[in-house]
């Protein structure tokens, strides 16, 4: 999926060691379908050459406001007018201060000042030493730049080139890319709290064994990402999966169905949307052994007794918050056959306004899927697509159904 297809960025580099990451960011933007025009300050040229950025972007790099290649000699006007966004990465402490004061004595800050504010967003990826980042002047500048309409993409934390450890590193290119893609998604759930369960559960038999299933968690993680892209605050209650947490999402890791219930119920008390994608084990061993169960040599397998697990979705769907319409619940149904009939019956049984059906064996672990939406009005097929595309589609369907109640 090319999430930035058709988008044109001016990628501005100011002076900082994080310039080496800008090379990879430039490639990542292009791989995602964007075109990139690089503009560098004189300080940035101390860290990386225009030759590198030219080769990666496939365009001449601009470094001076006196660039005579432009027929009207106004690169600050021409370059900013054709951009969908100006992205300054790295944005140094000095460059922030320059932006704040509306300085215009070199091309990059001149271009930021000359951009049409309502049409060309300004995205800043700060990069600096932790003391510079924490300094009241930087924090003050950042607050003012936000008030002036810039979007600050945040910083990473960890080991810094100067040898110190703390906040202020530029985000890694994949993190920046995720935030930039999110920036352009419609804010359909702005201000809403979204709660998602995802992945399998693990029901222990003894300390080394248990019962689980083949759910990969990919759909739930994609829904959490899509909800955050849509402007929601997102909590993701995840069973045992090794997927990376989507940017900006709060993750609670659990193992068993009981733990998933205990993590989910209090979160549902303040959520506006609950999407249950988890493949919760229906049963757990009644008595999980504290010690590894040994073969006794008799040839007889141990007899396991099972207890039914709580139904997390049905429990939340019965809560006062859901019943009063303040919490919109969405269930998933992983079926092996008769999808329409089974999904319709499951929607009624779980008591949810929207149920999403899919064929379990065809989706577990896959990167794409096809869905069936079932609500009180009937059914609707959502054709095969990547799980992230389906997740964005589902978020739009949820937002549309919530709107009348809001
Ligand atoms: N679910 C849940 N807690 C459970 C079982 C299921 O929250 N203990 C949720 C799932 O996250 C999903 C929906 O209920 O959103 C349906 O899950 P599924 O496993 O397909 O259905 P079951 O309730 O297990 O029904 P059946 O065994 O009849 O298919």
């Amino acid at each position: 999926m090319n999430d930035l297809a058709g988008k044109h960025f001016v990628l501005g580099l100011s002076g900082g060691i994080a310039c080496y990451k800008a090379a990879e960011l430039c490639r990542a933007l292009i791989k995602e379908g964007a075109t990139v025009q690089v503009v560098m300050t004189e300080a940035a040229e101390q860290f990386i050459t225009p030759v590198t950025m030219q080769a990666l972007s496939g365009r001449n790099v601009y470094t001076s406001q006196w660039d005579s290649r432009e027929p009207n000699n106004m690169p600050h006007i021409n370059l900013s007018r054709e951009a969908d966004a100006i992205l300054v990465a790295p944005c140094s402490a000095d460059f922030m201060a320059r932006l704040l004061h509306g300085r215009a004595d070199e091309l990059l800050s001149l271009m930021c000042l000359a951009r049409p504010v309502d049409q060309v967003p300004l995205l800043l990826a700060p990069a600096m030493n932790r003391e510079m980042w924490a300094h009241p002047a930087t924090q003050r500048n950042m607050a003012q730049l936000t008030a002036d309409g810039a979007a600050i993409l945040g910083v990473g934390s960890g080991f810094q080139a100067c040898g110190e450890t703390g906040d202020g590193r530029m985000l890694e290119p994949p993190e920046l890319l995720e935030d930039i893609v999110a920036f352009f998604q419609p804010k359909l759930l702005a201000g809403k709290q979204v709660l998602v369960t995802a992945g399998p559960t693990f029901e222990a038999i003894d300390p080394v064994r248990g019962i689980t299933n083949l759910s990969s968690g990919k759909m739930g993680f994609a829904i959490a990402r899509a909800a955050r892209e849509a402007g929601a605050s997102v909590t993701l209650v995840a069973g045992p999966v090794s997927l990376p947490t989507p940017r900006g999402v709060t993750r609670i890791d659990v193992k068993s169905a009981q733990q998933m219930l205990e993590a989910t119920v209090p979160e549902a008390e303040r959520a506006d949307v609950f999407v249950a994608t988890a493949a919760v084990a229906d049963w757990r061993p009644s008595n999980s052994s504290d010690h590894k169960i040994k073969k006794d040599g008799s040839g007889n397998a141990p007899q396991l007794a099972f207890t039914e697990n709580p139904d997390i979705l049905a429990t939340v769907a019965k809560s006062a918050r859901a019943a009063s319409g303040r919490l919109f619940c969405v269930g998933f149904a992983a079926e092996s056959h008769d999808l329409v009939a089974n999904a319709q019956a499951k929607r009624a049984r779980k008591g949810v306004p929207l149920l999403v059906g899919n064929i379990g064996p065809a989706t577990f672990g896959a990167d794409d899927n096809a869905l069936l939406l079932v609500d009180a009005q009937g059914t609707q097929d959502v054709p095969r697509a990547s799980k992230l595309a389906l997740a964005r589609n589902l978020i739009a369907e949820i937002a549309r159904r919530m709107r009348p109640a809001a």
Side-chain angles (χ1 to χ4, degrees), residues 69 85 104 110 131 164 188 289 298 304 312 315 333 394 398 406:
R69 285 173 298 183
L110 169 62
E131 299 292 357
E164 298 178 4
L188 299 172
S289 168
S298 68
L304 295 177
I312 301 166
T315 305
L394 183 60
I398 292 170

Side-chain angles (χ1 to χ4, degrees), residues 276-278 280-282 310-313 331-335 346 349-350:
T277 72
V280 183
D282 288 321
D311 190 318
I312 301 166
L313 175 60
F332 266 67
E335 305 294 342
K346 199 165 278 181
R349 202 167 67 240
K350 303 270 180 180

Side-chain angles (χ1 to χ4, degrees), residues 29 46 54 65 95 102 143 162 175 193 220 268 283 332 339 357 374:
L29 291 168
Q46 297 291 320
Q54 179 180 351
Q65 70 270 42
F95 196 75
C162 52
E175 296 174 318
Q193 300 268 349
W283 308 279
F332 266 67
L339 183 57
V374 183

Side-chain angles (χ1 to χ4, degrees), residues 202 204-210 289 291-293:
F202 179 88
I205 294 172
D206 69 17
V208 297
R209 308 183 180 89
S289 168
H291 303 289
K292 183 181 174 190
I293 302 171

Side-chain angles (χ1 to χ4, degrees), residues 228-251:
R228 184 253 176 177
E229 286 178 346
S233 301
V234 183
T235 302
L236 173 62
V237 180
V241 293
S242 55
L243 297 173
T245 310
R247 295 264 314 142
V249 166
T250 304
R251 174 175 180 168

Side-chain angles (χ1 to χ4, degrees), residues 21 87-91 96 123-128 133 139 142 146 150-157 167-172 175-176 179-180 228 247:
K21 295 186 191 174
L87 168 64
V88 182
C91 184
M96 270 191 187
L123 282 66
L124 307 178
M128 64 199 74
W133 173 253
Q139 295 298 317
M142 217 164 42
T146 306
I152 313 257
L153 298 176
V155 291
S157 188
D167 292 342
R169 291 161 51 114
M170 189 166 90
L171 293 173
E172 297 304 319
E175 296 174 318
L176 284 172
D179 283 358
I180 293 160
R228 184 253 176 177
R247 295 264 314 142

Side-chain angles (χ1 to χ4, degrees), residues 2 70 140 160 178-179 211 255 265 277 280 310 323 369 398 404:
N2 283 336
E70 292 297 302
R140 199 168 55 230
Q160 301 199 304
E178 205 172 315
D179 283 358
I211 299 170
K255 274 193 175 161
V265 166
T277 72
V280 183
N369 195 8
I398 292 170

